Amino acid sequence: MAVGESTPGPGRPSGQGRASAPVRTAFLLVPGLALLAGLNAALLLVGVWAPVAGDAGAHLPARHGMLMVLGFLGTLIALERAVALRSAWGYAAPACLGAGGLVLAAGLPAALGAVLLADGAALLLALYVALYRRRGDTSVAVESLGALSALVAALLWLRLDVPALVAWLVAFIVTTIAAERVDLARLALPSGGENVVLALSVALVVAAGVGLLAPDPGARAFGAVLIALVAWLARYDVARRTIRSSGLPRFSAAAMLLGYFWLGLAGAVWLLGGRADDQASYDVAVHATFLGFAMSMVLAHAPVILPAIARRPLPYHRAMWVPLAVLHAGLAVRVAGDLAARPTPWQVGSVGTVLALLMLPPVLVTLAARSRRTAPERRTAPERRTRPQPDPEGAAR
């Protein structure tokens, strides 16, 4: 999800192969629908009221994980990478992933959705190959491992349930975000630091593969690599310094550090418990990863990533803290309910995390619209044409 590639470079025409801003914005609606379907499925899974229930929503619970990870997050990641590639064919990746999410949400055959998701992941991998040929960056190689993991997960879903392949979904998200942290130059990297991330990412994918043949040792190895990766990232991430600043840098740093905490917790669950056979361990590990880590990172980078896609500024506002606080508070209550085997806190916390994710799109859309209305009053015409989107951690470079 790195945005550095979206800036035109020497010999790269700024408009060549680039979709218009309205088209890119329309693309955002597709993962939004997958998100809504996934959140509806979450409510059904925890046994509370959901907007779509009964026969109309009976297909959603079994598709919850794929909707949220590949249908929602996967489509967003592929869309940002397509914008970075600046070639029309790159948009086939988010189109296929988004179509797969819509198929799953609509209740069409799961096999069709899995094939579309696999096609999208394969196209995302090809997209990364094209970017690697252009840049040759190690971070792009790490992202390629993530796309490969997504492809394996989609193919395995044709035969296996999500709990059996969840490590591949985790590997997709974790390697993509790890590469992003490196690619955005937010890490005070030591010499050879990118190679450390690449080695740990390879180890993570290998551990996911071992888990298919030897579930318990594979899960423990997977957890150990996760802990090593999150410890290394947190050690060198500039968020440790920008948390003491103010405004957007502090908000982004808080979201990232909280994300690292939850990912470390997930790694500890797998390392100490092995294969998560009981519902509580599985619930803690999976949602600490995808809610506590992945969604927190989405919040941290939304002010940079969304403007890169929609070509519309997204200024910082204190309202951004609300979904972040509700997300982590809800997840903490959910985990406490899991550990105490108390269904009521588990349900309350689960509903809290759903509400946090439902808050996010309206908050971001409102801030973007507010910026568009007030921009002419704040800046002169030349500034409006040339001023870049503020970097949430630029002051710390």
Side-chain angles (χ1 to χ4, degrees):
M1 289 189 291
V3 296
E5 273 289 326
S6 62
T7 302
R12 193 187 321 152
S14 61
Q16 184 177 357
R18 186 175 68 188
S20 65
V23 171
R24 292 193 302 272
T25 303
F27 258 95
L28 291 172
L29 296 176
V30 176
L33 292 174
L35 173 64
L36 290 177
L39 294 179
N40 191 96
L43 295 174
L44 294 173
L45 285 168
V46 299
V48 298
W49 177 85
V52 181
D55 292 340
H59 64 282
L60 291 174
R63 304 177 178 192
H64 168 66
M66 302 304 282
L67 279 166
M68 295 296 292
V69 180
L70 295 185
F72 172 55
L73 290 173
T75 305
L76 284 180
I77 291 168
L79 178 57
E80 195 280 331
R81 293 285 73 194
V83 172
L85 184 64
R86 294 179 175 273
S87 182
W89 73 264
Y91 288 90
C96 284
L97 286 164
L102 292 179
V103 164
L104 297 181
L108 297 174
L112 174 59
V115 169
L116 286 168
L117 293 176
D119 288 342
L123 287 164
L124 178 60
L125 182 58
L127 196 157
Y128 283 131
V129 170
L131 287 173
Y132 186 80
R133 287 176 176 172
R134 176 188 297 171
R135 298 173 54 189
D137 284 356
T138 303
S139 60
V140 179
V142 174
E143 289 175 312
S144 300
L145 288 171
L148 177 62
S149 299
L151 175 58
V152 173
L155 292 173
L156 288 176
W157 195 49
L158 291 167
R159 296 288 184 180
L160 302 175
D161 293 330
V162 169
L165 56 84
V166 70
W168 293 98
L169 295 175
V170 172
F172 167 51
I173 294 300
V174 170
T175 55
T176 300
I177 293 176
E180 175 187 13
R181 297 306 300 152
V182 172
D183 195 54
L184 285 174
R186 301 295 179 247
L187 301 173
L189 292 175
S191 178
E194 289 189 355
N195 293 329
V196 174
V197 174
L198 177 60
L200 289 172
S201 298
V202 170
L204 194 68
V205 173
V206 170
V210 171
L212 292 175
L213 302 175
D216 194 66
R220 292 182 188 275
F222 191 80
V225 178
L226 269 185
I227 291 174
L229 183 58
V230 74
W232 194 92
L233 289 171
R235 167 67 179 82
Y236 293 106
D237 204 306
V238 75
R240 296 174 60 191
R241 297 195 299 272
T242 54
I243 191 65
R244 296 189 290 272
S245 60
S246 60
L248 181 56
R250 185 175 189 178
F251 169 80
S252 297
M256 284 183 282
L257 294 176
L258 285 168
Y260 288 142
F261 165 78
W262 287 113
L263 186 61
L265 176 62
V269 170
W270 276 308
L271 173 63
L272 299 176
R275 180 181 180 180
D277 289 323
D278 62 290
Q279 180 61 32
S281 297
Y282 178 82
D283 192 73
V284 171
V286 167
H287 291 94
T289 300
F290 294 117
L291 289 177
F293 176 68
M295 293 309 304
S296 193
M297 290 296 183
V298 169
L299 280 163
H301 295 101
V304 172
I305 294 171
L306 293 183
I309 295 174
R311 292 292 191 269
R312 182 172 298 177
L314 183 66
Y316 166 76
H317 191 277
R318 286 174 295 179
M320 291 180 178
W321 286 93
V322 177
L324 180 67
V326 175
L327 174 68
H328 289 283
L331 182 57
V333 173
R334 177 176 185 149
V335 169
D338 276 321
L339 297 178
R342 300 290 298 272
T344 300
W346 175 71
Q347 287 181 319
V348 170
S350 301
V351 172
T353 59
V354 169
L355 291 176
L357 298 184
L358 287 174
M359 289 178 193
L360 182 57
V363 168
L364 298 180
V365 169
T366 300
L367 293 178
R370 181 173 175 266
S371 171
R372 187 178 185 182
R373 288 196 304 268
T374 59
E377 301 173 6
R378 292 198 312 264
R379 299 192 296 271
T380 63
E383 289 175 322
R384 289 200 300 274
R385 288 195 300 269
T386 62
R387 184 177 179 181
Q389 171 69 13
D391 189 328
E393 300 166 24
R397 287 191 177 187

